Amino acid sequence: MSTPEHKSHKITLIEAVTMALAYEIEHDDRVVLLGEDIGVNGGVFRATAGLQQRFGKERVIDTPLAEGMIAGLSIGMATQGLIPVPEFQFMGFIYPAFDQILNHAGRMRHRTRGRLSCPMTIRAPYGGGIHAPECHSESTEALFAHIPGIRVVIPSSPQRAYGLMLASLRDPDPVLFLEPKRIYRMQKQTVVDNGEALPLDLCYTLREGDDVTLVTWGAMTHETLQAADQLAAEGIHAEVIDLATISPIDEDTILESIEKTGRLVIVHEAAKTCGVGAEIAAIVAEKGIFDLRAPIQRVTGYDTVMPLFKQEMDYMPSVWRITNAVKETLESSV
């Protein structure tokens, strides 16, 4: 609720990221942003626009084009009492920092037997759909979800981006915050700038239903909700769950939904093999198999690199593919 002290703003997802960063920089002097072109230019997508001018060059730092250095420097800052927020311009450029994230950020608490933690929030735009060149449309969240010690968070709306970003910044351990750039400016929502975080490690049920459960995250929530609308017009009631935290997965919400619907379709734009969808299917197979009334379906990207812009929309799950998968699920049984 908006109050005289806390103004509400009708903003986009990327503006919600900016607003959350600004709130936390203002209220916690340990928070420091760093990355390539994030200061003067405000970042490649302008997520940090105006923050260096507002908070100064010591809080919003332009760095050289060196992803390994950005990650290593952030880990050092985190172990010495700061809360760094490194930005990688695109997820496809994060791999030079993978060693630092896997072998140092993810292991810091375990390595020091709890003496040191690594409170850093790594930001990266991810996913396809903006007609970008090669290496700019990666959806490899499963690589990072596999790393013990790393929490992976993906917002799907402006309200979710604001609350989950604040929660990530306040988490005592490293968080990879992946921002679905295709929906950076797709919709506006009213967000109250009151500093209230949303809980991590929980799914969000976006739509209630009792015929089938659709689990998705990030930009694909929009196609999935559109599919649910079309199915509703045909008398099929789909429950839509936004995973939100990719690792660790909120198993209870998914299993409770499967207990109600008996059918599961997972939607993600990443490649199918060894994707997060496979993990969700395994969880349901291990703990909810007796509630299933039909085989689990996955609607995903393909096991190839994201194609260039003329074909990228053919790569990603469409409303048509999702509704077809649901109908196949409803027609089959175990």
Side-chain angles (χ1 to χ4, degrees), residues 50-244:
L51 298 184
Q52 188 181 72
Q53 292 83 350
R54 182 175 169 187
F55 297 106
K57 293 183 179 180
E58 293 187 350
R59 305 292 300 279
V60 183
I61 304 169
D62 276 320
T63 69
L65 187 68
E67 286 80 6
M69 179 277 293
I70 293 170
L73 178 60
S74 297
I75 293 165
M77 296 165 79
T79 60
Q80 299 305 309
L82 296 174
I83 301 176
V85 187
E87 174 184 308
F88 296 95
Q89 290 191 337
F90 291 88
M91 193 180 187
F93 303 160
I94 203 172
Y95 306 111
F98 194 81
D99 171 59
Q100 294 284 354
I101 296 169
L102 168 64
N103 285 321
H104 301 290
R107 293 169 183 250
M108 190 61 67
R109 181 178 289 279
H110 180 268
R111 176 176 293 152
T112 63
R113 303 298 185 263
R115 187 173 63 84
L116 295 176
S117 61
C118 193
M120 58 189 284
T121 298
I122 306 163
R123 294 184 45 245
Y126 97 109
I130 65 163
H131 294 183
E134 188 176 14
C135 297
H136 290 66
S137 301
E138 307 294 294
S139 298
T140 52
E141 62 268 29
L143 291 178
F144 296 89
H146 188 68
I147 302 174
I150 300 293
R151 180 173 272 106
V152 182
V153 177
I154 301 179
S156 63
S157 68
Q159 292 172 352
R160 209 85 68 216
Y162 181 79
L164 293 177
M165 172 58 80
L166 287 173
S168 300
L169 294 170
R170 296 167 187 172
D171 193 276
D173 291 302
V175 176
L176 177 62
F177 195 87
L178 297 175
E179 298 162 14
K181 60 183 182 289
R182 180 162 64 92
I183 59 171
Y184 259 156
R185 296 177 172 85
M186 179 181 283
Q187 66 170 142
K188 288 190 174 184
Q189 283 182 336
T190 300
V191 182
V192 181
D193 190 14
N194 57 7
E196 288 188 10
L198 289 171
L200 298 173
D201 307 345
L202 286 180
C203 296
Y204 293 85
T205 301
L206 305 181
R207 183 186 180 111
E208 301 277 350
D210 52 17
D211 289 325
V212 61
T213 299
L214 304 180
V215 177
T216 189
W217 54 90
M220 290 312 305
T221 56
H222 290 264
E223 280 79 5
T224 306
L225 286 169
Q226 288 176 42
D229 285 341
Q230 287 193 14
L231 291 164
E234 301 176 41
I236 300 168
H237 303 291
E239 185 148 293
V240 178
I241 293 176
D242 175 9
L243 198 60

Side-chain angles (χ1 to χ4, degrees), residues 209-213 239 257-264 293:
D210 52 17
D211 289 325
V212 61
T213 299
E239 185 148 293
S257 181
I258 301 303
E259 187 177 1
K260 179 171 59 173
T261 67
R263 302 174 194 275
L264 172 62
R293 285 181 271 162

